[in-house]
Amino acid sequence: MKKMLLPVITALIVLTSCAASKKLTAEQQYMNKQYKELKNVLNEAEVSILNDSLKVIFPDHILFATASDQLKDDIKPTFERFAGVLNKYDKTKIMITGHTDNTGVAAYNRDLSERRAVSAKQLLNNNKVDNERMFTWGLADRDPIGDNTTEAGKAKNRRVEFVILYNLK
């Protein structure tokens, strides 16, 4: 009996420690719920979860005309749904980054990318997302996700990204 008891106790300890290590923190559970809702309401965007943050990428061709920082009217209902989820999960901060391809002068691309990020922030703010939660940054062509030698790659690089972080106070 004693011979069988030791392996059973050892197995229970191992299983218990494995189960405990798989438990998510309250912050991770909160972010996972938000991730699932964003995936559900944002068909136009790529939504991913990275460690303890969420990333939402809107391609430029959906949001802006070429070389423009004015959001297209047909994206506004999508931003309304996006804002609804952001407002529901108000324990987060949102970093909004604008991007361009490498065509043109670097100073113009920096300015354009910042104006795109600000334009996206303003539309979210118009949908009641608190300005204090959002920060903008223009990255111009510094973080390409596509090949800048092709038109398809350049189109991928002209985008706005949102990184959503749990707000630790």
Side-chain angles (χ1 to χ4, degrees), residues 3-37:
K3 285 183 183 182
M4 291 183 65
L5 193 54
L6 184 58
V8 170
I9 291 173
T10 304
L12 285 173
I13 291 171
V14 169
L15 289 174
T16 304
S17 67
C18 289
S21 67
K22 290 184 180 181
K23 286 186 180 176
L24 297 176
T25 66
E27 291 86 4
Q28 290 169 322
Q29 290 174 0
Y30 185 87
M31 295 302 283
N32 281 342
K33 281 181 66 179
Q34 185 177 19
Y35 165 75
K36 288 175 184 172
E37 285 197 43

Side-chain angles (χ1 to χ4, degrees), residues 70-158:
Q70 297 302 306
L71 287 156
K72 293 179 178 178
D73 285 337
D74 56 347
I75 198 64
K76 291 178 181 179
T78 300
F79 264 58
E80 207 172 295
R81 294 190 312 270
F82 186 27
V85 175
L86 292 174
N87 288 329
K88 181 176 179 182
Y89 294 90
D90 62 353
K91 294 180 184 176
T92 57
K93 296 283 185 183
I94 304 111
M95 169 60 84
I96 305 166
T97 56
H99 301 265
T100 65
D101 60 31
N102 67 352
T103 304
V105 180
Y108 175 80
N109 284 339
R110 274 192 308 276
D111 180 59
L112 177 60
S113 65
E114 177 64 27
R115 288 185 286 129
R116 284 179 171 173
V118 168
S119 185
K121 176 184 176 180
Q122 287 172 340
L123 186 52
L124 287 174
N125 186 248
N126 291 348
N127 285 288
K128 299 185 179 36
V129 177
D130 184 2
N131 246 350
E132 300 297 314
R133 295 177 55 206
M134 298 183 286
F135 304 89
T136 60
W137 193 14
L139 291 177
D141 64 349
R142 287 184 280 179
D143 190 21
I145 59 173
D147 182 354
N148 270 313
T149 63
T150 68
E151 286 306 312
K154 286 180 181 186
K156 281 185 175 184
N157 292 332
R158 296 186 301 261

Side-chain angles (χ1 to χ4, degrees), residues 38-47 58-59 62 78 81:
L38 287 170
K39 286 286 282 186
N40 190 42
V41 302
L42 296 179
N43 299 326
E44 302 85 346
E46 177 185 323
V47 181
F58 285 97
I62 291 175
T78 300
R81 294 190 312 270

